[in-house]
Structures are given as structure tokens and as C-alpha cells.
């Protein structure tokens, strides 16, 4: 058995943050596929009783520890390994600030927007989609401005704030109907820098369950 297990599925950008971190730190880890779509696994009493009372992925298991919330998982792994760890109080607070902004306003909207666009049988209300798209563009403009003239979000080295921000960014542009990297050049350049890190992989190559509904051998 690998040292770390990650409950996840390929379509989850929230889980991607944790999977990417594990890969970037060179951890010995294995994914545990969660049948979110067809099986509704995260909504079952068993999942909520035994895996995560919040009914979400990602969940990281490390020995007796079971952690959820990608921000908590990233912090745990950074503290454990010293890798991608913000240095000193100022960087730690700055990193937390960007992670909260990301969770709430960047990937916090990108995830549900993509979900409504791709994974529900009925067409989503256009007014809802327009509202969400406007929120996404507003948040992406803020991130793009932050990254203009900077290498990474918090310091001249990548930290867990950068890993958190990658959430949904590397899914195919067709799944959003817009191209994050092309439309926001500073984000696009930062995405290339993140992509160049040893161990980087695209979400569909890192977590099981793609194409939709299938379970590849792991
Ligand atoms: N803030 C959480 C978000 C986790 C989350 O929303 N995960 C989704 C999958 S992308 C989920 O499991 N949703 C289940 C549900 O809402 O029923 C994190 O960063 O870990």
C-alpha cells in the first residue's frame, strides 16, 4: 500500500490541487476513485460516516490521519515536507489570503460553472450562467493583475497558494467555453511555469475516472 491515499475523481479540480501537490513533492501516493457522478458516493451515509462528514473530495489518508479541504491537505503536506511552504509569517498569511480568495471566488465559481455546463442533463438557466461567468471574469482579472510582473502568487518560488490556484485551470478550455490562459496572459505565463515543475501532470492523467463514468485500471 502506498504511503498516502487520496479519495478523488478525475473531474474534480478541488481534488486536483491535492493530487498535484502529492505528485510535485514526489510522494508515494495512490488515488482511491470516488464514484461521484453515477453512484453519488459522496452523498451516501457510508461516505459521510466513514470518509468525510462534509460529503466532499478530496480526502487525504496518511496513516491514522484523514484530512479533507484541499487547503488543509496542502498545508499539512507543506508542513510535513517543507516543500511549497510559504516562509515566515508574512508569506504564510499572504498564502492563506490567496487560498481563501481562490476557494471562494476563483475555483469556487469555476467548478460549479463547469459542472453546470458539462455534467447535468438539463441546460442550466442562462441567467445563472451569465452571473457566474461575470464573477469568474472579475476574479480572473484580479489574479491576472496579481501575476503581472510576478513569477508566482506569493513569492519568487511556487507555494501552496499557487498549487491551490491551479484547481480547474488545466481542464480543457472547451469545458468552460472560454480559454483562461489565452484570455489572461499573465495567468497563461504562470500556468506554463507551473507546468514546467517536475512532477506536473494534467488532471485527467493524474486521477481516475476519465472519460466520464469509466474507471480505468489503477
Ligand atoms: N473547499 C473544498 C471543496 C471540495 C468540493 O467541493 N469538492 C467537490 C468535488 S469537486 C465535492 O466533493 N462535492 C460534493 C458535493 O458537493 O456534494 C476543497 O477545496 O476541498
Amino acid at each position: 500500500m502506498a504511503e498516502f491515499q487520496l479519495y478523488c475523481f478525475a473531474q474534480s479540480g478541488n481534488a486536483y490541487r491535492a493530487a498535484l501537490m502529492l505528485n510535485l513533492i514526489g510522494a508515494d501516493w495512490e488515488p482511491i476513485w470516488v464514484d461521484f457522478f453515477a453512484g453519488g458516493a459522496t452523498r451516501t451515509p457510508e461516505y459521510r460516516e466513514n470518509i468525510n462528514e462534509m460529503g466532499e473530495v478530496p480526502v487525504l489518508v496518511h496513516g491514522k490521519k484523514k484530512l479533507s479541504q484541499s487547503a488543509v491537505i496542502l498545508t499539512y503536506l507543506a508542513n510535513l515536507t517543507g516543500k511549497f511552504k510559504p516562509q515566515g509569517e508574512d508569506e504564510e498569511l499572504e498564502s492563506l489570503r490567496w487560498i481563501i480568495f481562490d476557494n471562494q471566488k476563483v475555483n469556487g465559481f469555476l467548478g460549479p460553472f463547469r459542472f453546470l455546463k458539462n455534467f447535468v442533463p438539463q441546460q442550466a438557466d442562462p441567467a445563472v450562467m451569465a452571473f457566474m461567468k461575470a464573477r469568474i471574469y472579475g476574479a480572473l482579472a484580479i489574479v491576472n493583475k496579481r501575476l503581472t510582473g510576478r513569477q508566482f502568487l506569493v513569492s519568487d518560488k511556487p507555494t501552496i497558494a499557487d498549487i491551490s490556484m491551479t484547481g480547474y485551470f488545466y481542464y480543457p478550455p472547451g469545458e468552460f467555453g472560454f480559454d483562461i490562459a489565452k484570455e489572461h496572459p499573465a495567468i497563461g505565463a504562470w500556468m506554463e511555469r507551473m507546468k514546467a515543475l517536475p512532477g506536473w501532470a494534467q488532471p485527467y492523467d493524474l486521477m481516475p475516472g476519465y472519460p466520464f463514468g469509466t474507471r480505468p485500471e489503477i
Side-chain angles (χ1 to χ4, degrees):
M1 189 162 84
E3 183 182 356
F4 298 93
Q5 287 81 42
L6 183 70
Y7 286 84
C8 61
F9 55 89
Q11 294 80 8
S12 169
N14 290 301
Y16 176 61
R17 298 180 179 117
L20 180 61
M21 176 75 173
L22 286 163
N23 240 41
L24 292 175
I25 64 175
D28 173 29
W29 74 281
E30 62 191 354
I32 298 177
W33 182 64
V34 175
D35 184 4
F36 172 82
F37 291 104
T42 55
R43 291 184 289 281
T44 63
E46 293 73 28
Y47 189 90
R48 293 179 178 201
E49 187 64 34
N50 301 317
I51 313 296
N52 182 3
E53 64 187 335
M54 293 177 181
E56 294 178 340
V57 300
V59 174
L60 180 76
V61 180
H62 185 210
K64 291 198 170 108
K65 265 194 197 306
K66 197 177 277 173
L67 301 171
S68 78
Q69 290 297 336
S70 59
V72 171
I73 295 170
L74 293 177
T75 303
Y76 174 72
L77 292 172
N79 288 342
L80 191 71
T81 63
K83 295 179 181 171
F84 301 100
K85 186 174 160 57
Q87 298 300 311
E89 189 188 37
D90 285 352
E91 274 190 28
E92 270 170 24
L93 293 175
E94 197 59 6
S95 166
L96 183 58
R97 199 166 75 95
W98 282 100
I99 288 175
I100 292 171
F101 183 73
D102 161 43
N103 272 229
Q104 187 193 356
K105 292 198 169 159
V106 186
N107 285 294
F109 272 93
L110 274 172
F113 180 85
R114 170 173 161 274
F115 179 81
L116 290 175
K117 203 167 163 54
N118 296 276
F119 302 128
V120 292
Q122 72 285 13
Q123 213 208 340
D125 183 335
V128 170
M129 296 303 277
F131 168 78
M132 293 181 88
K133 192 171 173 185
R135 298 293 287 170
I136 289 167
Y137 270 69
L140 287 176
I142 288 167
V143 177
N144 194 66
K145 181 164 179 289
R146 172 72 176 188
L147 286 168
T148 301
R150 302 177 69 100
Q151 294 289 299
F152 298 102
L153 280 171
V154 170
S155 81
D156 56 358
K157 294 191 189 69
T159 64
I160 51 173
D162 297 283
I163 295 173
S164 182
M165 192 63 79
T166 62
Y168 284 92
F169 285 34
Y170 293 105
Y171 286 94
E175 294 182 355
F176 301 99
F178 51 82
D179 190 324
I180 296 172
K182 278 208 181 118
E183 294 179 33
H184 308 275
I187 293 178
W190 165 85
M191 284 171 70
E192 288 303 312
R193 285 191 285 280
M194 293 300 288
K195 219 169 158 177
L197 297 173
W200 181 90
Q202 204 270 343
Y204 289 142
D205 291 332
L206 209 49
M207 300 180 291
Y210 179 80
F212 178 65
T214 64
R215 182 182 181 175
E217 286 306 311
I218 50 173

